[in-house]
Amino acid sequence: YTAREPFYQIEVKSKFLTLWAYLLREVRILQNTSLTQVAKEYQEVKRYLDESYSHAVKLEELTDRFHISKFHLLRVFKRIYGVTPMTYARMVRINKAKEYISFTSMSITQIAELLGFSSTNAFSRTFAKEEGVPPTFYRSNGRISVADSLDTQKDAESY
């Protein structure tokens, strides 16, 4: 614990924000009784998206699997989780990509294939759109974004 990894502060902040978002979402659901009942049903949709990171989940796949109208699915999922199911699915895939990039020696091409992207270029574009940097930069620069590196640089200058 005393030997801190580079950029540990950013990692701690990230985990805190993830926990904070989860708690806020839970409080919101508990305060709105109509969401509480529906949220239980939509947890299955969310769980499926969490487990289906190996391919691009289509809206039609969700509507067929869970027997829900696409308009109802989009409206209620966004109301509960704050994003559409497709946005959530993309976030899950990118988060999984970040794990693979950070903790494995797999090539970017292998990660793209494992996550079901049609090509390495498609994966790189999607990753860069979500994270602000391409996956190769993310890997080579301590797995931080440009904004994080600027914050860290400002912190270092203040010492």
Side-chain angles (χ1 to χ4, degrees):
Y1 178 75
T2 57
R4 296 182 174 148
E5 295 289 322
F7 307 107
Y8 79 96
Q9 291 172 329
I10 295 169
E11 187 175 357
V12 170
K13 287 178 187 178
S14 169
K15 291 186 184 320
F16 174 76
L17 289 174
T18 301
L19 176 62
W20 185 249
Y22 174 79
L23 292 173
L24 288 174
R25 188 178 307 120
E26 290 298 313
V27 167
R28 181 174 174 225
I29 289 171
L30 290 174
Q31 288 176 342
N32 190 338
T33 55
S34 65
L35 280 181
T36 304
Q37 295 169 343
V38 175
K40 290 178 184 175
E41 298 169 15
Y42 279 79
Q43 283 177 346
E44 288 299 317
V45 175
K46 182 180 172 290
R47 186 175 301 122
Y48 179 76
L49 293 173
D50 287 335
E51 295 169 357
S52 301
Y53 58 83
S54 62
H55 71 284
V57 176
K58 305 276 189 229
L59 189 58
E60 293 76 23
E61 178 182 345
L62 294 175
T63 58
D64 291 345
R65 183 175 183 88
F66 295 100
H67 310 290
I68 304 171
S69 133
K70 69 179 176 180
F71 301 109
H72 186 68
L73 173 65
L74 289 168
R75 185 177 65 250
V76 175
F77 194 94
K78 185 168 184 171
R79 188 168 164 210
I80 294 171
Y81 297 107
V83 293
T84 66
M86 306 299 62
T87 300
Y88 182 80
R90 187 174 57 250
M91 290 168 38
V92 167
R93 291 172 81 198
I94 294 302
N95 285 335
K96 189 54 85 170
K98 289 173 13 183
E99 285 179 31
Y100 287 133
I101 291 168
S102 299
F103 302 113
T104 71
S105 59
M106 295 170 65
S107 71
I108 301 301
T109 303
Q110 289 172 317
I111 294 170
E113 289 173 4
L114 187 65
L115 297 176
F117 284 89
S118 59
S119 69
T120 304
N121 289 337
F123 169 64
S124 292
R125 264 193 319 274
T126 303
F127 190 95
K129 182 178 177 186
E130 292 293 316
E131 292 301 310
V133 295
T136 51
F137 184 88
Y138 186 86
R139 174 173 272 163
S140 66
N141 288 288
R143 296 165 293 281
I144 59 170
S145 71
V146 173
D148 291 336
S149 65
L150 293 175
D151 289 343
T152 304
Q153 191 174 27
K154 287 178 189 173
D155 291 342
E157 289 170 0
S158 66
Y159 286 112

